């Protein structure tokens, strides 16, 4: 009989904390926090690696498969417009790398790039530091576990909720005072923007941010912004709207009253239910 049959192990990696969750494969059981710990961030991810190794060894994950969900602060997310008449995969890969460099001023060689590649319409791309991936993989190997998946938080929730996004809606993921906002037009992603969330952020603030992004990218204002994550109280009111009629809908409202830590919510985001 397979060890851990019916359960998945997911690790939430925050900018200063880690959490290990056991999640039912078919959503029949609520997720269970197996272990958590904090760490002091550093450029080489050494403290993260030490903390993760201890976390995994404490939980006894030898022989198990692990999926990771990374806080958006640890990765890079951006929108790519493919070159006109792109004919090869190399063309759109080069476009993604060039856009990455122009946005962040960093050489893409130090980052692992992946994307929802498309040759004829804009798509989103993600990059994870290669050093971070190496640290995660080594900690898993040292603990006898297998690293099977690594996803940024936004990507995990986009994949989970994409089919529920309305035709005239934008999508956002709020976590730990950062809102990753996706501007959508005619069902297609047009822009991605990380926005720091100030204390007391309400519908007026959200409306102002959406209006600014719409003007910047020459897009129509959405009728709805559909959000995931634990929302500040002024944003958590279902269906509330501003003077312009834009409403805010909480897609995963079940997390609002959760006692889970920020790192555990990251891990939970990778679940199918």
């Amino acid at each position: 009989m397979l060890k851990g049959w019916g359960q998945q192990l997911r690790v939430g990696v925050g900018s200063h904390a880690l959490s290990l969750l056991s999640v039912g494969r078919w959503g029949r059981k609520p997720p269970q926090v197996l272990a958590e710990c904090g760490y002091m961030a550093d450029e080489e991810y050494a403290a993260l690696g030490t903390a993760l190794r201890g976390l995994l060894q404490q939980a006894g994950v030898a022989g198990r498969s692990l999926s990771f969900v990374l806080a958006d602060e640890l990765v890079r997310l951006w929108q790519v417009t493919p070159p006109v008449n792109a004919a090869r995969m190399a063309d759109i890969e080069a476009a993604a790398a060039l856009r990455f460099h122009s946005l962040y001023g960093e050489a893409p060689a130090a980052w692992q790039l992946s994307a929802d590649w498309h040759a004829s319409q804009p798509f989103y791309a993600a990059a994870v530091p290669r050093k971070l991936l190496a640290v995660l993989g080594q900690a898993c190997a040292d603990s006898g576990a297998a690293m099977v998946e690594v996803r940024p938080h936004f990507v995990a929730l986009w994949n989970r909720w994409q089919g529920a996004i309305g035709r005239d809606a934008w999508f956002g993921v709020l976590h730990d005072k950062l809102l990753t906002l996706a501007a959508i037009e005619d069902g297609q992603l047009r822009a991605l923007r990380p926005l720091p969330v100030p204390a007391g952020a309400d519908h007026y603030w959200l409306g102002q941010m959406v209006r600014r992004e719409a003007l910047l990218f020459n897009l129509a204002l959405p009728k709805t912004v559909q959000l995931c994550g634990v929302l500040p109280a002024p944003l958590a009111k279902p269906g509330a709207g501003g003077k312009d009629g834009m409403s805010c809908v909480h897609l995963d409202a079940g997390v609002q009253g959760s006692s889970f830590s920020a790192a555990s919510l990251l891990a939970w985001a990778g679940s199918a239910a």
Side-chain angles (χ1 to χ4, degrees):
M1 184 175 179
L2 294 177
K3 184 179 180 181
W5 177 253
Q7 295 290 311
Q8 293 179 326
L9 296 183
R10 297 190 178 275
V11 181
V13 181
S15 54
H16 293 89
L18 302 167
S19 181
L20 174 66
L21 255 65
S22 175
V23 181
R25 292 182 186 272
W26 302 283
R28 295 176 180 173
K29 295 182 179 180
Q32 178 185 3
V33 179
L34 302 181
E36 292 184 315
C37 69
Y39 68 92
M40 295 293 293
D42 61 87
E43 292 185 359
E44 300 299 318
Y45 306 105
L48 189 158
T50 299
L52 178 60
R53 192 175 299 107
L55 186 83
L56 298 180
Q57 291 175 354
Q58 172 190 346
V61 298
R64 301 292 300 273
S65 297
L66 299 177
S67 297
F68 289 80
V69 179
L70 309 181
D72 290 340
E73 297 96 317
L74 299 174
V75 305
R76 299 287 186 266
L77 298 165
W78 70 103
Q79 184 257 1
V80 181
T81 300
V84 178
N85 298 324
R88 302 175 303 160
M89 184 66 178
D91 296 334
I92 54 177
E93 288 177 335
L98 182 63
R99 182 61 175 160
F100 174 88
H101 180 70
S102 67
L103 285 173
Y104 301 109
E106 301 178 60
W111 297 74
Q112 179 67 51
L113 273 62
S114 61
D116 184 20
W117 306 106
H118 206 290
S120 61
Q121 64 187 35
F123 58 88
Y124 71 77
V128 180
R130 294 185 186 276
K131 287 183 180 179
L132 174 56
L133 289 174
V135 165
L136 298 180
Q138 188 60 56
C140 287
D142 293 345
S143 305
M147 183 172 70
V148 297
E149 182 182 64
V150 179
R151 290 183 179 180
H153 189 212
F154 174 85
V155 174
L157 286 171
W158 172 270
N159 290 344
R160 180 175 171 184
W161 291 103
Q162 186 177 7
I165 300 173
R167 195 69 181 172
D168 297 313
W170 286 13
F171 176 71
V173 173
L174 196 153
H175 178 77
D176 205 15
K177 300 180 182 179
L178 180 71
L179 172 64
T180 304
L181 184 66
I184 302 170
E185 183 181 50
D186 296 328
Q188 302 298 326
L189 180 69
R190 295 305 181 198
L192 274 175
R193 181 77 71 181
L195 301 171
V197 180
D202 56 11
H203 285 278
Y204 176 77
W205 172 85
L206 180 63
Q208 291 296 102
M209 293 299 101
V210 169
R211 183 177 295 277
R212 186 188 70 178
E213 297 305 309
L215 288 172
L216 182 63
F217 295 104
N218 194 28
L219 298 173
L221 282 173
K223 293 181 179 178
T224 306
V225 178
Q226 294 176 275
L227 297 176
C228 290
V230 177
L231 308 185
L235 276 177
K237 300 174 183 177
K243 293 181 180 179
D244 56 8
M246 187 189 75
S247 63
C248 175
V249 175
H250 198 181
L251 287 174
D252 58 350
V255 307
Q256 191 68 23
S258 169
S259 61
F260 279 3
S261 68
S264 293
L265 289 172
L266 288 173
W268 193 5
S271 306

